[in-house]
Amino acid sequence: MAAGCYEGMVAPMGVMKRVQLVFRAKANKALDKMEDPRETLDYSYQQQLELLQKVRRGVADVATSRKRLELQVNQLQQSSDKLTRQAQDSLAAGREDLAREALQRKAGIQSQQGDLQVQYESLQGEEEKLTGAAQRLQAKVDAFRTKKETIKATYTAAEAQTRISEAFTGISEEMGDVGMAIQRAEDKTEQMKARAGAIDELMASGALDDVVSGPRDDIQAELDRMGASTSVDHELAQMKAALASSAPRQIEGSQDGATGTGQAPAQAAEQAQDAE
Amino acid sequence: MIVRILGEGQLQVPESAVDELNELDARLETAVERNDEPAFRGALEALLARLREVGTPADPDTLEPSGLIVPQEDASMAEVRRLLTDEGLIPG
């Protein structure tokens, strides 16, 4: 709405009073609709119990979403750890290009992880707020139930009217507040679900997790290829060494050299295998 | 007087503190009228901070309606506008 709508007001009332009046008007409107005051008490009590159920379901929903996020954060952490190991293995094997690629992917995953962490904390906050709202509403509903029985037992219909209005207005304000808290939590949970769904899709597509854990892991494939080629080199070197020992003595020097160069690829092959 | 902070519950506030709270509230209202987001944020935070200083939690069993109601800390200016006109923000 336009800011100009306030200009016609004679005296500023303040935000606090105006919000209070909106809540009050809402309660009065509901009260006006009810003809029998005693009926009002029972009807309102039923609504309170329903809202209590709803806020408890809300707490459970937020908790479920929070746990799903937790799972995803852990999955991303595993991917990130694996990429770190792969980068180390690549570097040890002298493949800085592969190490760089692994670290770049890791940076992408960490950025996703950071976003999820923020969402996680936001949901945790909503969960706490809703839990508090449920407790506050429970206390008011209990108080209302007691008051309702007292009013019914003690007062005539006419006398009861004022007391019922008071109790109804008080509980109505709490219900409005709790209702809004539920709405806010639902909105945040919906946003989060959309986000979590997108991350699941990314993982399923192989853009995040599958790249490093499945058969399409090209960094690992390259490391494996290198491992395989170094073991070929190693075997070749062994064969050369065997040939050399049965050959004339003048190639003894090159035999030692072949054995020496055979050592390094063997270590690289072992490291590559460790990484699997 | 009882003052409700939305999403947090009711506080018992001494009458002596009400004038000061109203002044802070006037700043909030002006910010909303001028559509001034930074001023709105600052005014809401200042109002809530002072309110928490002077207020003590009201009896959880009370069914007494609040005399004043303050938006929650993370309320956006748009939310506060809708609250002021009750554009379907309060369920029920």
Side-chain angles (χ1 to χ4, degrees):
Chain A
M1 67 180 276
C5 293
Y6 301 115
E7 281 164 13
M9 293 177 62
V10 178
M13 202 189 292
V15 171
M16 299 192 290
K17 190 67 196 167
R18 285 163 66 189
V19 175
Q20 187 263 353
L21 286 177
V22 167
F23 272 79
R24 188 62 62 90
K26 195 122 195 158
N28 288 343
K29 205 171 153 191
L31 260 179
D32 287 347
K33 278 191 206 156
M34 298 174 193
E35 287 167 7
D36 178 354
R38 284 151 201 265
E39 191 186 298
T40 306
L41 287 173
D42 289 326
Y43 177 68
S44 174
Y45 186 61
Q46 280 310 312
Q47 285 189 317
Q48 292 158 32
L49 294 181
E50 281 167 25
L51 187 61
L52 261 179
Q53 288 288 323
K54 199 176 170 192
V55 70
R56 289 194 184 120
R57 270 202 306 275
V59 172
D61 283 349
V62 177
T64 305
S65 294
R66 180 179 54 75
K67 283 173 194 155
R68 183 180 177 194
L69 265 189
E70 203 170 354
L71 204 68
Q72 287 192 323
V73 168
N74 289 342
Q75 282 172 334
L76 290 178
Q77 185 59 47
Q78 283 172 12
S79 299
S80 168
D81 290 346
K82 183 159 189 182
L83 283 164
T84 305
R85 284 197 304 274
Q86 288 183 329
Q88 285 163 347
D89 290 345
S90 301
L91 211 53
R95 289 294 304 272
E96 196 179 325
D97 57 328
L98 274 184
R100 182 175 300 278
E101 169 72 20
L103 292 178
Q104 274 165 353
R105 286 190 200 175
K106 185 182 152 186
I109 284 176
Q110 279 177 328
S111 145
Q112 292 276 5
Q113 222 179 337
D115 290 349
L116 282 192
Q117 192 64 37
V118 171
Q119 300 246 3
Y120 179 85
E121 278 156 25
S122 155
L123 273 194
Q124 216 170 17
E126 286 308 314
E127 197 177 337
E128 278 165 23
K129 281 183 204 164
L130 269 195
T131 306
Q135 283 166 355
R136 286 193 298 275
L137 181 60
Q138 179 73 68
K140 302 264 187 200
V141 169
D142 289 345
F144 187 91
R145 189 188 58 230
T146 308
K147 196 150 199 166
K148 165 169 97 84
E149 295 313 319
T150 313
I151 292 171
K152 273 185 174 179
T154 323
Y155 298 96
T156 64
E159 286 171 327
Q161 187 75 59
T162 317
R163 285 159 212 282
I164 290 170
S165 294
E166 281 166 7
F168 181 85
T169 308
I171 197 90
S172 163
E173 183 187 306
E174 190 70 41
M175 290 170 79
D177 190 0
V178 169
M180 285 196 292
I182 295 174
Q183 192 57 54
R184 283 196 296 272
E186 274 177 5
D187 290 348
K188 280 203 178 164
T189 310
E190 279 311 309
Q191 283 170 15
M192 203 291 303
K193 276 184 187 161
R195 185 61 183 276
I199 292 215
D200 277 345
E201 271 176 35
L202 266 177
M203 283 177 170
S205 75
L208 286 179
D209 194 59
D210 282 357
V211 167
V212 290
S213 65
R216 279 167 292 173
D217 180 350
D218 44 350
I219 293 178
Q220 192 59 50
E222 183 67 20
L223 278 172
D224 290 347
R225 267 197 302 280
M226 284 166 58
S229 72
T230 50
S231 68
V232 167
D233 287 346
H234 181 55
E235 206 171 344
L236 269 175
Q238 276 183 329
M239 286 174 176
K240 281 182 191 166
L243 268 176
S245 66
S246 60
R249 288 190 65 84
Q250 72 257 30
I251 61 163
E252 199 178 0
S254 66
Q255 178 196 340
D256 286 340
T259 312
T261 51
Q263 286 295 331
Q267 280 169 357
E270 279 165 24
Q271 280 167 349
Q273 274 160 2
D274 288 346
E276 279 168 24
Chain B
M1 172 187 275
I2 288 188
V3 181
R4 173 180 295 272
I5 301 175
L6 290 177
E8 287 184 32
Q10 292 174 305
L11 293 174
Q12 190 75 52
V13 172
E15 291 295 332
S16 58
V18 172
D19 282 351
E20 187 194 354
L21 291 174
N22 278 333
E23 278 170 33
L24 290 167
D25 186 24
R27 277 173 50 199
L28 178 66
E29 190 172 39
T30 306
V32 174
E33 280 170 24
R34 293 184 182 160
N35 204 18
D36 184 344
E37 183 77 46
F40 163 79
R41 188 58 46 208
L44 182 55
E45 277 168 17
L47 175 60
L48 286 170
R50 190 68 192 131
L51 195 49
R52 291 188 185 114
E53 272 172 18
V54 297
T56 49
D59 177 6
D61 296 342
T62 185
L63 289 172
E64 191 183 331
S66 306
L68 298 168
I69 299 181
V70 190
Q72 70 277 14
E73 181 122 52
D74 59 358
S76 68
M77 200 154 62
E79 272 178 307
V80 172
R81 287 230 170 84
R82 276 186 291 157
L83 256 183
L84 292 175
T85 50
D86 187 23
E87 288 174 25
L89 204 60
I90 309 168

